[in-house]
Amino acid sequence: MLPVRWQIKGSKFRHKPKQGGGNGMKHRTIRQVLPYAFALVLTLGLVLAAGAGVAWAIWRGYERRAASYDLREVAAIPQRSVVYDSTGKPIAWLHGENRFLVPLHRVPLFFLLGLIAREDSRFQEHHGIDYSGIARAMITNLSEGRIRQGGSTITQQLARNTYHLTARTLDRKLVEALLARRIEEKYSKRQILEYYLNRIYFGEGCYGLQQAARYYFGKPAQDLTLGESATLVGLIRSPNSLSPLKDLAAAMEQRNLVLERMVELQMITREQAQAARGAALERLGRNDQPNSEGYVLDAVRRELQSLLTPRQQELGGLRITITIDPRLQEAAEKALEKRIAELEKTRWWKHPRRSAHRLPKPGEPERTDYLQAALVAVENDSGAIRALVGGRSYEESKYDRACLARR
């Protein structure tokens, strides 16, 4: 016989709910449940729509912030101005950061390949943001439990260095990413590479590839070898700690990592990498920059302040030729000191002598009690100043008595 809960009615079996016991819940039909399901779906849809609206509003806010930056600043890279004497010899660098620009066509292909291999292997494919690179970096960092890779592209790094976006926050990363997209829309890939390698910091006070090549290896950027190029590329991520002057072993390790990455991407052969590893790093850290202090150069700075705007002075890049004759300038300095020293040696001289002077300690005012003098040599025919001496010692007193003292 059929169980009691099943009864025959007509020609069909009909289920009769079991009386009592169980959990007391009633069976509901689809028609009864449908309104609740619809309400749930509607609620979820409204929540998702609201979330999307908020996300869109936030994104638009970041787009407006990124749009407020002047993209012309990307190409406006500060560099040193060079001062030449009357013979055409460079005697000083003024203004700007310690940088000299180098055009992309004078940069070795090895350096460009190493830069792309190390910092942004998909540089030619993305449009400022490498989403696959970000995902790859996240997976690597999570698997190793530390920050091993970064997801920033070369264009993002250019935006960061141009606008000094140094805070390690999500807010900064979003602004940086949207700025990178704008930069990619305005400038070509070649321009972006050129601006980047001229702007980046290489440690030891060197900005840009040209100055780094001169300082570390005593040569222009165009003459860098594969090993030297890889060494400089290896400095970029941590230029202060990886400087070969501070830790040669660490710098060489980074060089080898760059070379290995270039081999992986088939940019160079294994034999080329091995040869570069075996090459010695010569002439590290020789500072051959000319002196940028003195009475003459202070006079040049004052003259430039009257001719240029502060922004023009900051950007630098000027070639300044002055009328000072280096032979006459040296002779004038020696003649002035010789004559005053002779006076101080006489028996009747009762005033302080320079030989007894000491340099002031940090925080003490600059003061010279001994006899001072000034000299200006002017060419009669042209009026050109051929020599200018503002005092007996610029180190001991920077006050320019030739130009500033009241007589």
Side-chain angles (χ1 to χ4, degrees), residues 19 25 35 50 61 72 76 94 137 153 167 179 256 310 318 327 336 345:
Q19 300 296 324
M25 294 182 62
R72 290 175 296 182
L94 302 180
T153 63
L179 272 171
N256 295 343
L318 304 174
R327 295 169 299 175
L336 183 144
K345 291 178 180 178

Side-chain angles (χ1 to χ4, degrees), residues 103-131:
L104 193 66
H105 68 269
R106 291 190 177 275
V107 176
L109 180 60
F110 283 139
F111 179 87
L112 296 177
L113 293 176
L115 177 65
I116 291 173
R118 176 64 178 265
E119 297 296 325
D120 189 358
S121 60
R122 298 189 66 254
F123 175 71
Q124 297 293 347
E125 285 76 41
H126 64 68
H127 299 287
I129 307 173
D130 184 7
Y131 298 102

Side-chain angles (χ1 to χ4, degrees), residues 60-261:
R60 286 292 298 161
Y62 276 101
E63 284 186 329
R64 285 191 292 270
R65 284 178 60 186
S68 67
Y69 289 86
D70 187 354
L71 292 188
R72 290 175 296 182
E73 291 295 314
V74 176
I77 305 175
Q79 61 174 318
R80 288 289 179 88
S81 294
V82 184
V83 180
Y84 300 88
D85 61 26
S86 61
T87 66
K89 178 184 176 181
I91 60 172
W93 298 344
L94 302 180
H95 304 308
E97 294 177 336
N98 189 16
R99 172 192 290 116
F100 292 99
L101 302 186
V102 57
L104 193 66
H105 68 269
R106 291 190 177 275
V107 176
L109 180 60
F110 283 139
F111 179 87
L112 296 177
L113 293 176
L115 177 65
I116 291 173
R118 176 64 178 265
E119 297 296 325
D120 189 358
S121 60
R122 298 189 66 254
F123 175 71
Q124 297 293 347
E125 285 76 41
H126 64 68
H127 299 287
I129 307 173
D130 184 7
Y131 298 102
S132 63
I134 294 174
R136 182 173 60 252
M138 289 178 62
I139 293 173
T140 300
N141 296 337
L142 288 173
S143 64
E144 299 198 11
R146 61 191 179 96
I147 303 298
R148 176 70 183 274
Q149 292 184 6
S152 294
T153 63
I154 285 176
T155 316
Q156 286 177 263
Q157 294 179 50
L158 176 60
R160 183 189 314 154
N161 282 277
T162 300
Y163 303 105
H164 307 291
L165 303 173
T166 56
R168 299 176 66 86
T169 62
L170 178 60
D171 177 79
R172 187 269 292 173
K173 290 293 291 183
L174 289 173
V175 173
E176 175 189 292
L178 291 173
L179 272 171
R181 289 178 54 184
R182 290 190 64 210
I183 291 172
E184 291 268 351
E185 292 172 359
K186 182 175 178 60
Y187 297 107
S188 68
K189 292 287 187 180
R190 289 183 59 84
Q191 287 175 308
I192 291 170
L193 274 179
E194 182 173 308
Y195 299 151
Y196 177 86
L197 63 87
N198 276 300
R199 192 178 282 276
I200 203 69
Y201 182 60
F202 287 91
E204 305 296 337
C206 299
Y207 291 86
L209 177 63
Q210 184 74 296
Q211 183 57 23
R214 286 179 174 180
Y215 181 78
Y216 288 111
F217 302 113
K219 61 177 68 175
Q222 65 184 17
D223 294 335
L224 290 171
T225 65
L226 171 58
E228 293 166 346
S229 297
T231 301
L232 293 181
V233 170
L235 294 179
I236 293 174
R237 293 189 181 180
S238 185
N240 291 321
S241 61
L242 296 176
S243 167
L245 301 183
K246 296 177 180 177
D247 193 338
L248 181 59
M252 295 179 70
E253 180 183 359
Q254 292 300 314
R255 176 200 64 183
N256 295 343
L257 290 174
V258 173
L259 293 170
E260 186 60 32
R261 180 62 175 158

Side-chain angles (χ1 to χ4, degrees), residues 304-317:
L304 290 175
Q305 288 175 358
S306 67
L307 298 173
L308 306 175
T309 66
R311 179 58 173 164
Q312 289 172 325
Q313 295 177 59
E314 177 189 351
L315 287 176

Side-chain angles (χ1 to χ4, degrees), residues 23-53:
N23 56 13
M25 294 182 62
K26 296 182 179 180
H27 292 269
R28 298 181 181 274
T29 64
I30 294 178
R31 182 175 297 178
Q32 291 173 313
V33 173
L34 191 60
Y36 298 100
F38 178 77
L40 178 62
V41 172
L42 181 62
T43 302
L44 289 174
L46 291 174
V47 170
L48 291 175

Side-chain angles (χ1 to χ4, degrees), residues 353-362 364-370 395-397:
R353 292 177 170 83
R354 185 188 170 195
S355 58
H357 179 75
R358 68 170 179 83
L359 291 174
K361 296 179 180 178
E364 290 184 349
E366 181 184 274
R367 183 178 178 181
T368 54
D369 297 327
Y370 56 80
E395 182 184 14
E396 296 173 7
S397 175

